[in-house]
Amino acid sequence: MDYTDTELMVVKAAEQLQDGDSVLVGIGVPNLAANLAKRTHAPDLRMIYESGTIDSNPSSLPLSIGDPVLASGAASLESLHGGFNYYLQAGRIDAGFLGGAQIDKHGNINSTVIGDYDDPDVRLPGSGGACEIASNVERTIITTPHQRQRFPEEVDFITSPGFIDGEGARERHGLREGGPVAVITDMAVMGFEDCEMVVESLHPGVEREDVQEKTGWDIAFADDVTETEPPTEAELRLIREELDPDGVYL
Amino acid sequence: MSKTTTMKQAVSAAVDDGDSIYLAGFTHLIPFAAGHEIIRQGYTGLEVARATPDLIYDQLIAAGCVSKVTFSWAGNPGVGSLHAFRRAAEDGVPNEIELEEYTHFGMTTRVYAGAVDLPFVPLKTFAGSDLPAHNDNIRPVESPFSDEEVYAVPPLKPDVAVVRGQRADEDGNVHLWGIPGEHKEAALAADTVVLSVEEIVDESVIRSDPNRTLVTADDVDHVVEEPYGSHPSYAQGYYDRDNDAYLNWDDVSRTHEDTQAWLDEWVYGVENRAEYIRKLSSDRLLDLQAGNAYSTAVNMGEN
């Protein structure tokens, strides 16, 4: 069965979630991934959105983080400050999804500016809640298209800290343990070893050289790089028929 | 004491050139009607603040009302960039704007500090990020009780906050349900509060369910009944987000000229929100109507 790059990313991102996790979800691929996980292997996943909706059960695809489908039927609605304060800062959230314009080999993310901060080439939206998600959850999962300009050796601006400059840096900065555990692109699934990104599996048809060409540093490959398992028919049916029937994100 | 008035009068009484303004709301109950009235009245030099300066701030910037934006995420939610914001930040069109940047938690903590009148509030965020290096209002502090170091932010106390709710009594006791955003903190932090609601109701309705009250009359200066005052954003239980309007803004705001033409038609070209609503087709509004899903009644008891 044919599938799109996005569908494969959704399925791989869903696999990163465990039953019983509390997860900070975003719109787009993360939302589809979390909802897929909840309908498959993680029925007791608690989905929390930046807008303060706690344990959302959206009946249809949310188009923004404040979509009423995230509020109706949630277990609780927190103020914006309350969600970040009581849930994120206090360490009540296990996993969170992040994306960004640039990601470096230590999993630091830039969503602030390309170029100089005071005279930017491109002014990006900014952190939103990304910095505190990266700082306070146990595991962050990054989803992004795999393009060379998105994977520079060093980001222009650290909006959301990953492992900063390597081993021991999170601890030195007083951050919670944790940090990124997976970077899922349209080419590969990557993890982290010694706080540095490592390719763990290549999507069907993708070669090592393809990934290297689209990455701005000499990227490491795990000893046992595998081929990414494609989505199952059941997963594709759930995504296409129930989660995103109009194909908004696919 | 009734504080009901029109949006025109409320904005005129509350806002002055150069004021700091907080139009509250996180994607839900955004005070579009108030923002449009501010544009119509032609204020300049406004220092606007909100975690998510979305379309209404983009419109204020395009209209030349704004000299500074304090924020944590500037985008068109679920759609993409804010083009007028970017034109001002990158190219100084129609005027240069100063930016003061936080994260969502940093920003809402500032408003919280303003609401509770503390000189600073510590928070666990910013460590390891480049934000503190570019914002003098994010400073490290050592715990007085341990050797832990965290960052702190100062209070944000806007001159004027506009907050929305679904319903209020004439005095300004207000009910909000759905996503609460930071309406409460903004109302309690500001000097002057303009409250805009879908409906004015009898005081007994508010007092029948005090758990749902956002802020009380004491903290509200002007009360405006403004049906569809949040269009094109949503008001839980009243109307859904008009997503076409958000997509359309992405097109029209790509050039300064098109943006001005849009403002001419939809802001300067109408007298008030009622005229704006009449200008939208009734079919379009009917499409946005929320279905009914009532919460179960709560027994508050009686002695």
Side-chain angles (χ1 to χ4, degrees):
Chain A
M1 200 164 169
D2 280 348
Y3 54 87
T4 67
D5 290 339
T6 306
E7 286 168 337
L8 181 58
M9 286 169 68
V10 167
V11 170
K12 292 303 122 184
E15 287 171 5
Q16 295 290 329
L17 299 172
Q18 295 160 16
D19 200 19
D21 273 348
S22 286
V23 58
L24 206 300
V25 189
I27 295 302
V29 169
N31 174 69
L32 292 171
N35 280 280
L36 179 65
K38 196 169 168 78
R39 279 163 213 242
T40 53
H41 65 278
D44 288 332
L45 188 70
R46 279 162 61 85
M47 294 187 286
I48 296 169
Y49 291 73
E50 231 176 36
S51 45
T53 69
I54 310 297
D55 201 2
S56 289
N57 282 293
S59 55
S60 62
L61 186 74
L63 293 176
S64 82
I65 209 125
D67 198 300
V69 301
L70 300 175
S72 299
S76 177
L77 301 174
E78 283 285 342
S79 71
L80 189 53
H81 184 253
F84 282 103
N85 202 32
Y86 296 125
Y87 283 82
L88 257 173
Q89 175 168 268
R92 291 197 159 77
I93 304 188
D94 302 301
F97 283 102
L98 293 171
Q102 293 180 329
I103 297 131
D104 69 20
K105 66 181 175 185
H106 294 305
N108 301 307
I109 298 178
N110 174 17
S111 57
T112 301
V113 288
I114 303 295
D116 182 60
Y117 184 81
D118 294 314
D119 185 19
D121 297 330
V122 182
R123 177 62 237 195
L124 301 164
S127 165
C131 177
E132 29 269 357
I133 295 170
S135 304
N136 290 302
V137 303
E138 203 175 86
R139 318 189 311 271
T140 52
I141 302 148
I142 299 166
T143 59
T144 178
H146 209 132
Q147 299 157 341
R148 197 175 171 89
Q149 74 269 20
R150 281 184 184 268
F151 285 93
E153 183 152 20
E154 232 177 274
V155 294
D156 290 2
F157 187 100
I158 298 182
T159 311
S160 309
F163 295 110
I164 313 171
D165 57 3
E167 272 191 273
R170 281 183 77 91
E171 198 181 4
R172 268 201 316 281
H173 282 83
L175 288 170
R176 259 177 220 290
E177 270 187 64
V181 293
V183 180
I184 294 158
T185 75
D186 47 0
M187 302 186 85
V189 175
M190 288 157 287
F192 287 83
E193 274 174 29
D194 301 330
C195 300
E196 196 172 318
M197 210 183 292
V198 177
V199 178
E200 290 176 347
S201 77
L202 294 162
H203 297 349
V206 176
E207 302 292 337
R208 289 180 182 225
E209 304 77 65
D210 303 330
V211 170
Q212 181 56 68
E213 197 183 312
K214 296 283 175 69
T215 307
W217 68 89
D218 282 341
I219 190 159
F221 289 82
D223 293 339
D224 52 349
V225 175
T226 55
E227 183 176 277
T228 311
E229 197 72 34
T232 65
E233 277 188 38
E235 288 164 337
L236 290 172
R237 193 189 54 75
L238 274 171
I239 294 170
R240 290 173 191 174
E241 292 175 18
E242 291 188 31
L243 300 179
D244 189 2
D246 298 327
V248 175
Y249 296 107
L250 306 176
Chain B
M1 184 192 73
S2 173
K3 296 167 194 149
T4 57
T5 181
T6 63
M7 187 60 83
K8 191 173 185 174
Q9 285 168 341
V11 165
S12 170
V15 182
D16 288 310
D17 285 341
D19 273 358
S20 56
I21 310 265
Y22 202 110
L23 305 184
F26 188 76
T27 68
H28 174 222
L29 288 171
I30 306 293
F32 273 91
H36 285 182
E37 186 55 38
I38 290 169
I39 295 173
R40 269 193 295 275
Q41 293 190 18
Y43 295 101
T44 57
L46 299 179
E47 299 189 356
V48 296
R50 184 163 98 211
T52 52
D54 69 352
L55 272 56
I56 189 59
Y57 280 32
D58 218 28
Q59 291 162 6
L60 283 157
I61 291 166
C65 302
V66 175
S67 63
K68 178 175 179 181
V69 185
T70 301
F71 75 109
S72 43
W73 189 86
N76 180 338
V79 178
S81 289
L82 286 182
H83 301 296
F85 171 86
R86 282 187 56 183
R87 267 195 301 282
E90 293 169 12
D91 308 320
V93 175
N95 55 270
E96 301 276 349
I97 51 170
E98 188 187 337
L99 300 183
E100 186 174 321
E101 182 163 9
Y102 296 88
T103 60
H104 278 351
F105 191 35
M107 184 73 189
T108 55
T109 299
R110 282 205 64 193
V111 191
Y112 166 77
V116 298
D117 196 27
L118 275 169
F120 68 91
V121 170
L123 68 166
K124 283 190 193 173
T125 199
F126 297 124
S129 98
D130 287 335
L131 281 160
H134 296 277
N135 185 340
D136 194 38
N137 275 337
I138 303 171
R139 297 186 191 173
V141 289
E142 202 174 295
S143 164
F145 305 103
S146 69
D147 56 2
E148 239 185 309
E149 194 178 79
V150 291
Y151 281 91
V153 291
L156 178 69
K157 293 184 175 183
D159 295 316
V160 183
V162 181
V163 297
R164 290 213 95 222
Q166 278 93 339
R167 62 191 184 198
D169 61 30
E170 292 186 342
D171 298 351
N173 298 300
V174 53
H175 274 179
L176 178 150
W177 59 96
I179 290 168
E182 78 300 48
H183 289 277
K184 179 180 186 132
E185 290 85 353
L188 298 182
D191 284 344
T192 301
V193 173
V194 175
L195 170 67
S196 162
V197 290
E198 292 295 318
E199 292 184 76
I200 301 277
V201 294
D202 193 81
E203 186 184 334
S204 63
V205 174
I206 305 297
R207 289 183 185 269
S208 76
D209 188 4
N211 284 117
R212 209 180 300 281
T213 303
L214 180 80
V215 291
T216 56
D218 240 17
D219 289 292
V220 172
D221 299 284
H222 308 278
V223 179
V224 180
E225 186 178 48
E226 194 76 283
Y228 291 102
S230 286
H231 178 275
S233 88
Y234 80 95
Q236 186 104 19
Y238 288 74
Y239 44 90
D240 201 355
R241 159 160 137 155
D242 190 342
N243 205 45
D244 288 345
Y246 281 77
L247 295 170
N248 182 54
W249 183 252
D250 188 59
D251 289 335
V252 302
S253 61
R254 281 185 187 251
T255 69
H256 183 61
E257 292 68 31
D258 286 355
T259 307
Q260 292 307 306
W262 188 92
L263 291 173
D264 282 342
E265 182 178 357
W266 289 97
V267 182
Y268 300 117
V270 295
E271 174 74 19
N272 51 32
R273 176 99 323 198
E275 203 177 315
Y276 166 96
I277 293 303
R278 279 197 297 276
K279 194 171 155 61
L280 290 166
S281 77
S282 50
D283 282 353
R284 185 165 175 174
L285 292 177
L286 284 171
D287 277 351
L288 302 175
Q289 285 303 300
N292 294 333
Y294 293 106
S295 63
T296 307
V298 167
N299 183 5
M300 295 298 287
E302 190 173 36
N303 292 318

